[in-house]
Amino acid sequence: MAAFALSLYLPAVARQHQAGQPKSPASQLETRFDQQLSPAHVGATIKELAAQPHHLGSARGKAVAEAILAKFKDYGWDARIATYQVLFPTPKTRVLEMTAPTRYKALLKEPALKEDASSGQEGQLPTYNAWGGDGDVTGQLVYVNFGLPEDYETLERLGIDVKGKIVIARYGRSWRGIKPKVAAEHGAIGCIIYSDPREDGYFEGDVYPKGAFKNEYGVQRGAVMDMVIYPGDPLTPGVGATENAKRLERSAAPTILKIPVLPISYHDAQPLLAALEGPVVPADWRGALPITYHTGPGKATVHLQVACNWDLVPVYDVIATIKGAQYPDEWVVRGNHHDAWVNGASDPISGIAALLEEAKAIGALVKSGYRPKRTLVYCAWDGEEPGLIGSTEWVEDHAEELQQKAVAYINTDGNGRGFLGAGGSHALTQLMDGIAKDVTDPQTKVSVYERRKALNLVRAAPAKRKELLDNKTLSLSALGSGSDYSPFFQHLGVPSLNLGFGGEDDGGEYHSIYDSYDHYSRFKDPEFHYGVALAQVAGRAVLRLADAEVLPFDFTDLYRTISGYVNELTAQATQMRESTEMENRLIAAHTYQLAADPTQPFVAPAPKAEVPYLDFSPLQNALVMLEKSSTKLRDTLSAAAVPPAVRQRLNEALYRAEQSLLTGNGLPRRSWFKHTIYAPGFYTGYGVKTLPGIREAMEQRNWKEAREQVRVVAEAVQRLSRKLEECASLIP
Amino acid sequence: MAAFALSLYLPAVARQHQAGQPKSPASQLETRFDQQLSPAHVGATIKELAAQPHHLGSARGKAVAEAILAKFKDYGWDARIATYQVLFPTPKTRVLEMTAPTRYKALLKEPALKEDASSGQEGQLPTYNAWGGDGDVTGQLVYVNFGLPEDYETLERLGIDVKGKIVIARYGRSWRGIKPKVAAEHGAIGCIIYSDPREDGYFEGDVYPKGAFKNEYGVQRGAVMDMVIYPGDPLTPGVGATENAKRLERSAAPTILKIPVLPISYHDAQPLLAALEGPVVPADWRGALPITYHTGPGKATVHLQVACNWDLVPVYDVIATIKGAQYPDEWVVRGNHHDAWVNGASDPISGIAALLEEAKAIGALVKSGYRPKRTLVYCAWDGEEPGLIGSTEWVEDHAEELQQKAVAYINTDGNGRGFLGAGGSHALTQLMDGIAKDVTDPQTKVSVYERRKALNLVRAAPAKRKELLDNKTLSLSALGSGSDYSPFFQHLGVPSLNLGFGGEDDGGEYHSIYDSYDHYSRFKDPEFHYGVALAQVAGRAVLRLADAEVLPFDFTDLYRTISGYVNELTAQATQMRESTEMENRLIAAHTYQLAADPTQPFVAPAPKAEVPYLDFSPLQNALVMLEKSSTKLRDTLSAAAVPPAVRQRLNEALYRAEQSLLTGNGLPRRSWFKHTIYAPGFYTGYGVKTLPGIREAMEQRNWKEAREQVRVVAEAVQRLSRKLEECASLIP
């Protein structure tokens, strides 16, 4: 009915996108590409590959890799499996019990459901967090909200210390690995992570199997490796985990946590949380369980025991290629992982099904005579779930070649019904803008660009709407971490994109046994139309990059983006300076004590050092250079045809330009991350920090380091600028 | 421990308030006044008067009035009881049951608790909402969030209509009477109001008797009379409900609702809400019950039956006076109600205990020779709970005399531990500022002004802190409704104040059987120190007004306040104009449809008429006059002594000046409310609307009326300005 109502309104808008100009050869190719894409086939691929649990190191995981290999070959690609040997912990002991004030033994188990055919299968990994330490600890329990640094500041205000205690944190707001890391930094001896129904359960919607959301027994598995130091095999940082690679001792691997960690359901969490004493938590710490949330500590005591098999297991990355006709040594790389925590119909199979659909379509085009100018490299990664392992090891193993040859890396990782999400290198803004305007939304028949823009407008604060309306170009988001683009993008400086649809595919199946074909086909993308839409978007990115005479990089968008980040930081510096001064005045006047309830524990905050004025001018001056050089390059390229003789040199310079933004030493305290513009946050994990060296130094109030990092970024921007000047000078 | 820690920090601050100048006679009087105040006596008064249920019309209600009368007499006051005959419904039938999809019969009953001695007493009014219509209805159930007009707009977007249905709304965000009124306006046939644990229950803290908050069986009683039309006896609008007063037919009384209404506990609400189908509600509609909140309608059907005894009952207002020595026809009026829904230890007895403590202290001062210059009129109102009945009838009965004689009305209504809250006529800002700086907070030993300011600073958005710090004067809040100041202030233009302490006295006892001495003495003000603090604040207001040679009105504060409101409205007009234009653009571009999930019901909003530019200049020009006249008067008064001969004329002109702000016709559609600056919101109830005629016309997008009301307010401000010029001209 609603879809019908919509159709009354939309034909005019839709028509304007269907009526076209005479088609160019490129768009004819894309039309033929589209004709090969089939929702039913996407659905069949998801059903097949998600049929059984298939985590890293499992027999079924190997079988899935082999099935994907066979598909690539069937589609006409050269394909092989690249193998690495990596550490991967799987649990042998998991115990969580409350021993006081009453006894409760946690179930630590998701039940099979008759409505979900695969939920009772053999071979499921139990509920656990990979890379927590082995340990057997007993202690008082403290609730730490999301377990972020600011949550511990709040606890400090309440006079509560977690030293020697076990903390319970709720999932959300950060990548999960941040929670036990920060807990350990504060002296906690164990960490429980639970799914609160506020973020992931009945608060959001009806629970599985009635609805899509997490039922009381659902548990989110997941890695807690300290991946913001480096991802991939903890024993082989910076190099491929080949059979004979030099390996760290496990005890020396800095990305393996020291304290035991266990994820639990809200069914298991409720008795623990209900037993807590101590102050009632602040309003924004309260979840949706029908209890009063207290911080603890008190009589509530828990026993947590985790022990793992710490085995070396094989990684099976499937690598498929079609050699470029004109520039075989320029690679367009496309990837999605194939390993799952359990069945993974949504994560990752819905993404790899789109990737395979593209491979099938391109294979068919090749069979009918098409040859891409550049080499296509399609990758199905293993071991993404435990820490981007398959992609990282392959990238580290081929680092030099990739920095020479990789034009771009296009990543996906799961997909569903809804709106286009696109993030990545901002020099690729125009490429993605063009694609998003050319691909039609399956439900509304306007472009996926227009639909996404409508969502942005409706969600925007009223004061932001004018600016959004006036902006006629797709906005790429900045990439943090959480999928396989990290090694390409943040370690090597390969221009990267991360693509997916979502927003009308909510659910609580993530990393649980309920991420199944049954769940996916009821709630995530029931008709698999968005699998096709994703193949259309990512396939166009591949084809346009593969066949462009001159690669579609436009660094004026990158300039504008970095410039925006610098404006953010200068405003933030001012705001921090003013708020610190005000805060110190209030502290000096005992304002916090006077406002506090004298019958409740309260520790007033300590004054903070004054915030100095920071000199951003080196970076601001570098940006003036970048504005000029990027504009000149853009104008030169649009004014004159590029002579065939210089094309290859120009293209190589264009796609390698992003590498100018790497800093050789990497970011402070995490040298693997070398990109000066984008990194996952040291204390947020998934969440991106743009200009991370400067921003995180400021957040940590390390003004000396902030000053140094301004210079580091300024030099990177200058390098890029000089690179772009070289590019422009190639054109006569 | 916390109090000790505090004492380390505070001596310097505290000392500065203890070391004093040589005392003036006025401050000596106040010191003697303070010496008469006893926390233990406040506690004893609360225990005595809250010992039994004592609602309007009950035998115990009469006994409480008589006990108060006896106390006043004992304290040396002239005292009598003023009696009126008013309509008051009490329930004879209350039924709520769900008949489909499963059966559930609501308990509609709060259980007695062994921890609460009075909770099992005879004579409690059952849980009900007075002034809902009698009715016996059965219908589908729809959840309407807080039941405000904007909630029905949201339902409309979801394609849901409440016509012919029974709605369930949660308490909060508005005065309760707004919910059934708006429901009936939308065609609902019945209204259930429940306490969601999000606002009033375990989400906020431990529940009674473990903690102070509402347990699952607690129910908030309360009036749902359409009090924003007029408060008081529905049958005698505008006149005192004397025995022979002309009365409306009950069916013609516009403030009695037409549909049945019943308040319920969250225990009774959960099965009903859990049975709802239809869309999942927006995130900010969700409460803290462990269910997925849906809108309905669907199979969930309820049967609601309410029938009342519609009896005329006697009101017993206790009126106590001490005649003024110098200006007996200038009255300082002080009031607090004595009737309760049940025992009412907090509401209202904690307030009247402070009032009686003042009366005791003033009586003692009189016995030792003190005589106030002006007449003191202390009032203990009956029938406040069902609709400000006792105060309204007495005020209507003495309207002319009060407009002649009443210098000010000082109201309280319940009290607890925490921070001073003070609202009222802004010309009394300086009076209250001085008092708040002179009264010491019992817990921290700084002034109650400083403590409140500390709270404001800590709670303020960082950007607002500078302005707050720089403002060295107490801010009075504007008064909406919800207590007995309404007839004095908004009907007659008597300058009014409403005073109380709170913020560290949270709980869920409001209007339930658990508002008991046991609850109060555990959670609200265990040592009764804030009862004394309230007596100090309100008593000082009484004494300073009673004894001032020149009454402490300063209209420059009123000017600044009104000017601030006008700035708000001009900004709001601009914001409405811009947002309407943007909204209409988005609607025209089908943006809302494109952003909506096509599988879910969604009705796009309709475009709204453009917002015209409004001419605020008549009011702005009137404010220029007021700035001049108020400044001139202030400067004249501070420059020269007022000759005794003109004092009485000047004082009368000063205290009657607020009446210039009344408009003869009253506010549109509710002529009883005559104040042009302050009124309860037509759709918020308790919540104040400042410049209500203009503001509410704008909110209803009635631009013609907004223009008219600009003129009405401008004329009122001009009248005030001329009055102030007259005052200034009295001084030679």
Side-chain angles (χ1 to χ4, degrees):
Chain A
M1 184 203 80
F4 174 70
L6 204 57
S7 72
L8 295 177
Y9 288 96
L10 293 178
V13 184
R15 263 199 311 275
Q16 132 195 357
H17 288 263
Q18 285 160 355
Q21 306 294 319
K23 300 233 167 170
S24 68
S27 81
Q28 280 171 18
L29 179 76
E30 290 175 5
T31 303
R32 285 162 53 214
F33 172 82
D34 287 352
Q35 285 161 355
Q36 300 295 326
L37 306 175
S38 148
H41 192 258
V42 168
T45 305
I46 296 173
K47 191 167 191 175
E48 175 194 348
L49 297 181
Q52 298 282 337
H54 58 106
H55 56 270
L56 170 66
S58 66
R60 178 65 189 179
K62 186 179 184 196
V64 164
E66 285 165 350
I68 292 169
L69 181 73
K71 283 179 197 291
F72 276 123
K73 289 182 171 169
D74 185 41
Y75 302 152
W77 293 58
D78 288 330
R80 62 179 192 86
I81 286 180
T83 302
Y84 300 93
Q85 300 294 322
V86 302
L87 188 65
F88 180 50
T90 53
K92 57 184 177 192
T93 308
R94 299 171 308 132
V95 176
L96 174 64
E97 52 194 354
M98 179 162 66
T99 56
T102 53
R103 293 193 76 85
Y104 176 76
K105 193 165 165 59
L107 304 175
L108 309 180
K109 169 89 187 136
E110 300 166 298
L113 296 171
K114 67 177 194 308
E115 296 85 349
D116 189 309
S118 62
S119 62
Q121 289 171 336
E122 293 293 307
Q124 298 169 346
L125 273 177
T127 56
Y128 82 120
N129 289 129
W131 311 108
D134 283 359
D136 184 351
V137 293
T138 298
Q140 286 179 299
L141 188 65
V142 175
Y143 174 61
V144 296
N145 193 26
F146 293 107
L148 306 181
E150 59 263 35
D151 294 323
Y152 290 89
E153 285 177 29
T154 301
L155 286 173
E156 202 185 322
R157 296 282 78 71
L158 297 170
I160 292 163
D161 185 357
V162 303
K163 197 163 287 172
K165 302 188 175 63
I166 295 172
V167 304
I168 179 165
R170 53 176 165 161
Y171 268 115
R173 294 277 171 92
S174 76
W175 182 62
R176 78 182 76 73
I178 301 299
K179 301 169 197 290
K181 162 177 156 168
V182 176
E185 285 177 1
H186 285 82
I189 57 173
C191 179
I192 303 161
I193 314 179
Y194 82 103
S195 302
D196 195 287
R198 174 68 184 74
E199 285 78 36
D200 195 5
Y202 53 71
F203 185 88
E204 295 295 312
D206 292 318
V207 303
Y208 200 58
K210 183 185 177 197
F213 291 89
K214 189 172 252 94
N215 64 40
E216 62 179 311
Y217 302 108
V219 179
Q220 181 189 137
R221 290 159 189 74
V224 293
M225 180 193 281
D226 198 355
M227 224 159 59
V228 299
I229 307 293
Y230 58 85
D233 178 25
L235 305 185
T236 60
V239 299
T242 52
E243 199 161 347
N244 301 316
K246 203 175 145 185
R247 285 179 162 75
L248 297 178
E249 286 296 315
R250 173 153 67 90
S251 61
T255 60
I256 302 175
L257 302 195
K258 303 292 182 228
I259 63 172
V261 189
L262 211 55
I264 63 173
S265 66
Y266 53 89
H267 178 93
D268 277 342
Q270 184 165 338
L272 276 54
L273 292 167
L276 290 173
E277 298 165 293
V280 173
V281 302
D284 59 356
W285 282 43
R286 300 171 198 165
L289 288 169
I291 59 168
T292 303
Y293 286 71
H294 293 260
T295 56
K299 294 189 205 77
T301 305
V302 296
H303 168 221
L304 171 66
Q305 188 183 359
V306 183
C308 282
N309 304 298
W310 294 88
D311 298 323
L312 282 191
V313 301
V315 158
Y316 300 109
D317 291 334
V318 189
I319 310 290
T321 55
I322 290 175
K323 202 168 183 179
Q326 202 166 337
Y327 308 114
D329 284 339
E330 296 182 9
W331 297 358
V332 178
V333 189
R334 166 82 176 93
N336 194 107
H337 70 101
H338 66 71
D339 70 302
W341 277 116
V342 195
N343 296 65
S346 170
D347 177 9
I349 298 303
S350 63
I352 206 150
L355 180 150
L356 289 168
E357 201 66 16
E358 296 158 43
K360 183 190 78 173
I362 293 169
L365 295 177
V366 169
K367 278 174 198 156
S368 68
Y370 164 71
R371 280 291 298 279
K373 287 195 179 69
R374 299 185 176 83
T375 293
L376 309 186
V377 183
Y378 266 55
C379 311
W381 309 115
D382 200 356
E384 189 267 1
E385 291 297 359
L388 320 181
I389 296 180
S391 57
T392 299
E393 298 314 317
W394 188 81
V395 167
E396 290 175 343
D397 197 24
H398 298 86
E400 210 173 322
E401 191 173 15
L402 285 165
Q403 286 194 322
Q404 280 295 330
K405 299 180 178 173
V407 169
Y409 173 66
I410 299 153
N411 189 69
T412 56
D413 184 358
N415 191 56
R417 194 167 65 89
F419 304 86
L420 176 63
S425 300
H426 287 90
L428 292 174
T429 298
Q430 298 300 324
L431 170 72
M432 286 313 303
D433 179 65
I435 292 169
K437 288 172 178 165
D438 284 349
V439 172
T440 300
D441 176 65
Q443 295 181 116
T444 61
K445 309 306 176 196
V446 299
S447 71
V448 298
Y449 166 82
E450 274 186 80
R451 186 151 201 250
R452 176 63 200 234
K453 183 163 182 170
L455 182 73
N456 293 351
L457 279 165
V458 168
R459 286 191 179 168
K464 292 277 176 199
R465 285 180 169 174
K466 177 89 176 60
E467 188 187 332
L468 271 178
L469 259 185
D470 291 347
N471 182 358
K472 309 290 186 195
T473 307
L474 180 79
S475 287
L476 285 185
S477 61
L479 292 182
S481 188
S483 196
D484 293 303
Y485 53 79
S486 257
F488 289 93
F489 188 41
Q490 292 154 343
H491 188 54
L492 296 192
V494 173
S496 295
L497 293 167
N498 189 48
L499 306 170
F501 285 88
E504 293 171 336
D505 62 342
D506 285 345
E509 80 295 340
Y510 180 65
H511 291 190
S512 80
I513 62 169
Y514 309 122
D515 184 2
S516 62
Y517 181 78
D518 284 337
H519 187 283
Y520 193 87
S521 58
R522 276 181 68 196
F523 298 115
K524 307 289 278 189
D525 184 17
E527 303 181 70
F528 311 107
H529 286 312
Y530 283 89
V532 167
L534 181 59
Q536 289 179 305
V537 171
R540 274 170 175 69
V542 168
L543 294 173
R544 293 185 189 185
L545 287 165
D547 291 334
E549 289 293 356
V550 176
L551 286 167
F553 287 93
D554 183 341
F555 294 89
T556 62
D557 293 307
L558 179 61
Y559 156 74
R560 258 190 301 279
T561 303
I562 299 176
S563 197
Y565 298 153
V566 173
N567 290 343
E568 272 172 33
L569 289 188
T570 55
Q572 186 179 327
T574 303
Q575 185 272 321
M576 285 180 82
R577 195 168 49 249
E578 292 173 355
S579 70
T580 300
E581 192 202 336
M582 174 59 71
E583 195 77 354
N584 287 348
R585 274 177 75 178
L586 298 188
I587 290 167
H590 311 304
T591 305
Y592 289 99
Q593 281 102 328
L594 290 175
D597 185 336
T599 68
Q600 300 294 318
F602 175 75
V603 179
K608 293 196 171 90
E610 279 183 18
V611 177
Y613 284 85
L614 278 183
D615 177 12
F616 284 96
S617 70
L619 181 48
Q620 289 163 325
N621 288 322
L623 283 167
V624 172
M625 274 179 65
L626 182 59
E627 181 177 19
K628 287 183 191 153
S629 59
S630 64
T631 306
K632 184 178 164 198
L633 175 59
R634 184 196 60 191
D635 294 348
T636 308
L637 287 173
S638 65
V642 178
V646 301
R647 276 184 204 160
Q648 192 163 355
R649 265 180 73 199
L650 173 70
N651 282 328
E652 186 186 338
L654 285 173
Y655 70 71
R656 296 188 63 186
E658 181 120 13
Q659 293 174 39
S660 322
L661 295 173
L662 303 185
T663 170
N665 294 330
L667 297 178
R669 291 165 297 283
R670 43 181 181 147
S671 62
W672 188 92
F673 284 93
K674 299 198 186 296
H675 207 300
T676 56
I677 312 297
Y678 316 98
F682 197 82
Y683 283 112
T684 56
Y686 285 150
V688 65
K689 293 285 175 180
T690 56
L691 310 184
I694 311 172
R695 193 182 295 268
E696 294 196 322
M698 286 172 59
E699 287 170 356
Q700 301 302 314
R701 296 175 176 262
N702 184 340
W703 310 115
K704 181 166 169 290
E705 186 170 296
R707 278 188 207 96
E708 289 161 10
Q709 290 292 318
V710 166
R711 228 160 276 128
V712 168
V713 180
E715 284 163 15
V717 170
Q718 285 166 359
R719 279 195 300 277
L720 174 63
S721 195
R722 285 194 295 270
K723 195 89 185 169
L724 301 186
E725 279 164 19
E726 281 171 41
C727 289
S729 69
L730 290 173
I731 301 156
Chain B
M1 185 202 77
F4 175 71
L6 204 58
S7 72
L8 296 177
Y9 287 97
L10 294 179
V13 185
R15 262 198 311 275
Q16 136 195 352
H17 288 265
Q18 283 159 357
Q21 306 294 318
K23 301 231 165 167
S24 68
S27 82
Q28 280 172 16
L29 178 77
E30 290 174 6
T31 303
R32 285 162 54 212
F33 172 82
D34 287 353
Q35 285 161 353
Q36 301 294 325
L37 306 175
S38 150
H41 192 258
V42 168
T45 305
I46 296 174
K47 191 166 190 176
E48 175 194 346
L49 297 182
Q52 298 283 336
H54 57 105
H55 56 269
L56 170 65
S58 66
R60 177 68 188 176
K62 188 181 182 197
V64 164
E66 285 164 351
I68 294 169
L69 180 74
K71 283 178 198 293
F72 275 123
K73 288 182 173 171
D74 185 40
Y75 301 152
W77 293 60
D78 289 329
R80 60 178 194 89
I81 288 179
T83 303
Y84 300 92
Q85 300 294 323
V86 302
L87 188 65
F88 180 50
T90 54
K92 57 185 179 191
T93 308
R94 299 170 308 133
V95 176
L96 174 64
E97 53 194 355
M98 180 161 67
T99 56
T102 53
R103 293 193 76 85
Y104 175 75
K105 192 164 166 58
L107 304 175
L108 309 181
K109 169 90 188 137
E110 300 166 297
L113 295 171
K114 68 177 190 313
E115 296 85 349
D116 190 309
S118 62
S119 62
Q121 289 171 336
E122 294 292 308
Q124 298 168 346
L125 273 177
T127 56
Y128 82 117
N129 289 129
W131 312 108
D134 284 358
D136 184 352
V137 293
T138 298
Q140 285 179 300
L141 188 66
V142 175
Y143 174 61
V144 296
N145 193 28
F146 293 106
L148 305 181
E150 58 264 36
D151 295 323
Y152 290 88
E153 284 176 29
T154 302
L155 287 173
E156 200 184 323
R157 296 281 79 70
L158 297 169
I160 291 162
D161 186 356
V162 302
K163 196 164 287 172
K165 302 190 175 60
I166 295 172
V167 304
I168 179 165
R170 53 175 166 161
Y171 267 115
R173 295 277 172 91
S174 75
W175 182 63
R176 78 182 75 73
I178 301 299
K179 301 167 196 291
K181 162 177 155 168
V182 176
E185 284 177 1
H186 285 82
I189 58 173
C191 178
I192 303 161
I193 313 179
Y194 81 104
S195 302
D196 195 288
R198 175 69 184 74
E199 285 78 35
D200 194 6
Y202 54 72
F203 184 88
E204 295 295 313
D206 292 318
V207 303
Y208 201 58
K210 184 185 178 198
F213 291 89
K214 189 173 252 94
N215 66 38
E216 62 179 312
Y217 303 108
V219 179
Q220 181 189 137
R221 290 159 188 75
V224 293
M225 179 194 280
D226 198 354
M227 224 159 58
V228 299
I229 307 293
Y230 59 85
D233 177 25
L235 305 185
T236 60
V239 299
T242 52
E243 199 161 346
N244 300 318
K246 205 176 145 185
R247 284 178 164 74
L248 297 176
E249 286 296 313
R250 173 154 66 91
S251 61
T255 61
I256 303 175
L257 303 195
K258 303 292 182 228
I259 62 172
V261 188
L262 211 54
I264 63 173
S265 67
Y266 54 88
H267 178 94
D268 277 341
Q270 184 166 336
L272 276 53
L273 291 167
L276 289 173
E277 299 165 292
V280 173
V281 301
D284 59 357
W285 282 43
R286 299 170 198 164
L289 289 170
I291 58 168
T292 304
Y293 286 70
H294 293 260
T295 56
K299 293 190 205 79
T301 305
V302 296
H303 168 220
L304 171 65
Q305 187 182 357
V306 183
C308 283
N309 305 299
W310 293 88
D311 298 325
L312 283 192
V313 301
V315 159
Y316 300 108
D317 290 335
V318 188
I319 311 291
T321 55
I322 291 176
K323 203 169 183 178
Q326 200 166 340
Y327 307 114
D329 285 339
E330 295 182 11
W331 296 359
V332 178
V333 189
R334 165 84 177 92
N336 194 108
H337 69 100
H338 66 71
D339 69 303
W341 277 115
V342 193
N343 296 65
S346 171
D347 177 8
I349 298 303
S350 63
I352 207 150
L355 179 149
L356 289 169
E357 201 65 14
E358 296 159 43
K360 184 190 77 172
I362 294 170
L365 295 178
V366 168
K367 278 174 199 159
S368 67
Y370 165 70
R371 280 293 296 281
K373 288 196 178 67
R374 298 187 176 81
T375 294
L376 310 185
V377 181
Y378 266 54
C379 313
W381 308 117
D382 200 356
E384 188 267 2
E385 292 298 0
L388 320 182
I389 295 179
S391 57
T392 299
E393 298 313 318
W394 188 81
V395 167
E396 290 175 343
D397 196 23
H398 299 84
E400 210 174 323
E401 192 173 14
L402 285 165
Q403 287 194 322
Q404 279 296 330
K405 300 181 179 173
V407 169
Y409 173 67
I410 299 153
N411 191 68
T412 56
D413 184 357
N415 190 57
R417 196 168 65 88
F419 304 86
L420 177 64
S425 299
H426 286 89
L428 292 174
T429 298
Q430 298 300 325
L431 170 72
M432 286 314 302
D433 179 65
I435 292 169
K437 288 171 178 166
D438 284 349
V439 172
T440 300
D441 176 63
Q443 295 180 116
T444 61
K445 310 305 177 196
V446 299
S447 71
V448 298
Y449 167 82
E450 276 186 77
R451 186 150 202 249
R452 175 62 201 234
K453 183 163 181 170
L455 181 74
N456 293 350
L457 279 165
V458 168
R459 287 192 179 166
K464 291 280 177 197
R465 285 179 169 176
K466 177 90 176 62
E467 187 188 331
L468 272 178
L469 260 185
D470 291 347
N471 182 359
K472 308 290 185 197
T473 306
L474 180 80
S475 287
L476 286 185
S477 62
L479 293 181
S481 188
S483 195
D484 293 304
Y485 53 79
S486 259
F488 289 93
F489 190 41
Q490 293 153 345
H491 188 54
L492 296 192
V494 173
S496 295
L497 292 166
N498 189 47
L499 305 170
F501 286 88
E504 294 171 336
D505 61 342
D506 285 345
E509 81 293 341
Y510 180 65
H511 291 189
S512 79
I513 62 170
Y514 309 122
D515 184 0
S516 62
Y517 181 78
D518 285 337
H519 187 283
Y520 191 87
S521 58
R522 278 181 68 198
F523 299 115
K524 308 289 278 190
D525 185 16
E527 302 183 70
F528 311 108
H529 286 313
Y530 283 88
V532 167
L534 181 58
Q536 289 180 304
V537 171
R540 273 171 175 68
V542 168
L543 294 174
R544 292 185 189 186
L545 286 166
D547 291 334
E549 290 292 356
V550 176
L551 286 168
F553 288 92
D554 183 341
F555 294 89
T556 62
D557 293 308
L558 178 62
Y559 155 74
R560 260 190 301 280
T561 304
I562 299 176
S563 197
Y565 299 152
V566 172
N567 290 344
E568 272 173 34
L569 289 188
T570 54
Q572 187 180 325
T574 303
Q575 184 274 322
M576 286 180 81
R577 194 168 49 249
E578 290 173 358
S579 70
T580 300
E581 192 200 337
M582 175 58 71
E583 194 78 355
N584 287 347
R585 274 177 75 180
L586 298 188
I587 291 167
H590 311 303
T591 306
Y592 289 97
Q593 279 102 330
L594 290 175
D597 185 336
T599 68
Q600 300 294 318
F602 176 75
V603 178
K608 293 195 171 91
E610 281 183 20
V611 177
Y613 283 85
L614 278 184
D615 178 11
F616 284 95
S617 69
L619 180 48
Q620 289 162 325
N621 288 322
L623 283 166
V624 171
M625 273 180 67
L626 181 59
E627 183 178 17
K628 287 183 192 153
S629 59
S630 63
T631 306
K632 184 177 163 199
L633 175 59
R634 185 195 60 192
D635 294 349
T636 307
L637 287 173
S638 64
V642 178
V646 301
R647 275 183 205 159
Q648 191 164 356
R649 265 180 74 199
L650 173 69
N651 281 329
E652 185 186 338
L654 286 172
Y655 70 71
R656 296 188 64 187
E658 182 120 12
Q659 292 174 39
S660 321
L661 295 172
L662 303 186
T663 169
N665 294 330
L667 297 177
R669 292 165 297 284
R670 42 181 181 147
S671 61
W672 188 92
F673 284 94
K674 299 198 186 296
H675 207 300
T676 55
I677 312 298
Y678 316 98
F682 197 83
Y683 284 112
T684 56
Y686 285 149
V688 65
K689 293 286 175 179
T690 56
L691 309 185
I694 310 172
R695 193 183 295 267
E696 294 197 320
M698 286 172 60
E699 287 170 357
Q700 302 302 316
R701 295 174 177 263
N702 183 341
W703 310 114
K704 180 166 169 289
E705 186 169 296
R707 278 189 209 95
E708 288 162 9
Q709 290 292 317
V710 167
R711 228 159 277 129
V712 168
V713 182
E715 284 163 14
V717 171
Q718 285 166 359
R719 278 195 301 274
L720 174 63
S721 197
R722 285 193 296 270
K723 195 89 186 169
L724 301 186
E725 281 164 18
E726 281 171 39
C727 289
S729 68
L730 289 174
I731 301 157

